[in-house]
Amino acid sequence: MALELKTRENIRGIRKAGRVVAACHKALSNRLAPGVTTHEIDRFVERFMLDRGATPAQKGYKGYPFATCASVNDVVCHGFPDSEPLESGDIVTIDMVADMNGWKADSAWTYIIGKSTPATDKLLRVAQQSLMEGIRKALPGNYIGDIGYAVQRRAEREGYNVVSMFVGHGIGRNMHEYPEVTHYGPPGQGVKLEEGMVITIEPIVTTGRSEVYIARDGWTARTVDGSWAAQFEHTVAITKDGPIILTRWE
Ligand code: MF3
Ligand code: CO
């Protein structure tokens, strides 16, 4: 598949979608609390997007039935929203993609429900740092492998692991475009980064083993050893002035 470089105008389009996603995550961060269900979160996100002229691009994508993925504790990604109330101490990753005038932006964020523990605090901190170290390498002339290496090194230094089964991706008019963005591997290898590429970086970090399995619903991915996972994802434009995070909200 050909690599589609984006113009400044194209990137403005993706940024508009990114602003909706960012504002939605910010709103969620104030609403998530023990007793809230992931189904309620899913309804909130869909309404939030529609009220701002965007649509939830995940809904109907390859048959996926919801606006968000809601992945609790040992679910690494692609969890189905359901009617179980979240409990204090849980962690939940909310992944969403907004489509605004045909342009897509994608961001996932892991939240602590109620009271954290030292273990969940550290997992979220390391996962977020992994993402940020990867983003720092998203420069023209670098390689996909430079991003993956930085991400993996950060996680493994803390004794954690990166789930290699899921990768980031180019994004634009389509949710998933070329190239694949691996979150591991040697530096200096893979696709060369160019100005005008827009990609997601979205490492999933676990405290245990990196192997996962897909549940019988065909989507929900869990760690085989039951260890918990966190994921932070941004949509990032590669420019000569450095990486621009199009879904930033913090
Ligand atoms: N947002 C996810 C990603 O990062 C896509 C999840 S699959 C879907 O690629 F079916 F839910 F869209
Ligand atoms: Co993504």
Side-chain angles (χ1 to χ4, degrees):
M1 189 163 110
L3 191 147
E4 194 212 351
L5 295 176
K6 273 77 180 179
T7 65
R8 290 167 72 101
E9 194 53 36
N10 296 162
I11 291 172
R12 267 195 284 277
I14 299 171
R15 190 199 283 274
K16 279 189 189 161
R19 287 218 177 96
V20 174
V21 167
C24 191
H25 272 300
K26 188 170 186 180
L28 279 183
S29 70
N30 296 317
R31 293 176 68 91
L32 293 177
V36 173
T37 71
T38 49
H39 178 75
E40 288 163 355
I41 296 168
D42 191 72
R43 300 293 78 223
F44 174 82
V45 169
E46 179 157 13
R47 179 68 6 235
F48 190 98
M49 288 187 188
L50 294 175
D51 285 348
R52 286 156 186 80
T55 55
Q58 291 187 150
K59 200 170 182 173
Y61 180 83
K62 293 187 177 168
Y64 186 77
F66 301 99
T68 61
C69 301
S71 304
V72 180
N73 299 342
D74 64 321
V75 178
V76 302
C77 66
H78 302 166
F80 283 2
D82 65 21
S83 54
E84 282 286 311
L86 292 164
E87 292 177 22
S88 183
D90 284 345
I91 59 174
V92 59
T93 304
I94 305 297
D95 191 359
M96 64 177 84
V97 182
D99 180 314
M100 187 96 170
N101 304 317
W103 294 107
K104 317 276 190 293
D106 183 0
S107 175
W109 211 260
T110 303
Y111 300 93
I112 290 173
I113 303 301
K115 228 171 123 43
S116 67
T117 64
T120 54
D121 260 344
K122 182 178 171 191
L123 173 60
L124 267 63
R125 187 173 67 247
V126 172
Q128 199 175 344
Q129 285 170 348
S130 276
L131 167 63
M132 295 316 291
E133 299 218 353
I135 291 174
R136 217 171 290 150
K137 300 293 180 187
L139 302 168
N142 274 0
Y143 293 83
I144 289 289
D146 295 316
I147 297 175
Y149 181 75
V151 165
Q152 182 179 26
R153 196 184 48 169
R154 183 81 199 105
E156 291 185 356
R157 252 201 215 145
E158 305 289 343
Y160 294 165
N161 286 296
V162 170
V163 173
S164 59
M165 193 193 230
F166 299 100
V167 297
H169 46 90
I171 186 165
R173 292 190 189 279
N174 306 292
M175 188 194 308
H176 292 148
E177 297 183 1
Y178 187 81
E180 276 192 2
V181 180
T182 44
H183 303 113
Y184 56 86
Q189 291 193 14
V191 173
K192 192 171 186 172
L193 304 176
E194 290 178 64
E195 188 178 357
M197 289 173 65
V198 177
I199 59 173
T200 73
I201 305 174
E202 49 180 303
I204 301 169
V205 174
T206 76
T207 58
R209 287 173 51 192
S210 62
E211 287 84 3
V212 302
Y213 70 94
I214 309 296
R216 264 193 257 158
D217 61 24
W219 286 97
T220 307
R222 290 178 187 273
T223 58
V224 295
D225 65 3
S227 59
W228 287 16
Q231 181 181 30
F232 294 88
E233 169 184 29
H234 273 309
T235 295
V236 178
I238 293 165
T239 80
K240 62 178 186 322
D241 303 319
I244 302 177
I245 300 175
L246 301 174
T247 45
R248 185 190 278 285
W249 59 277
E250 275 206 320

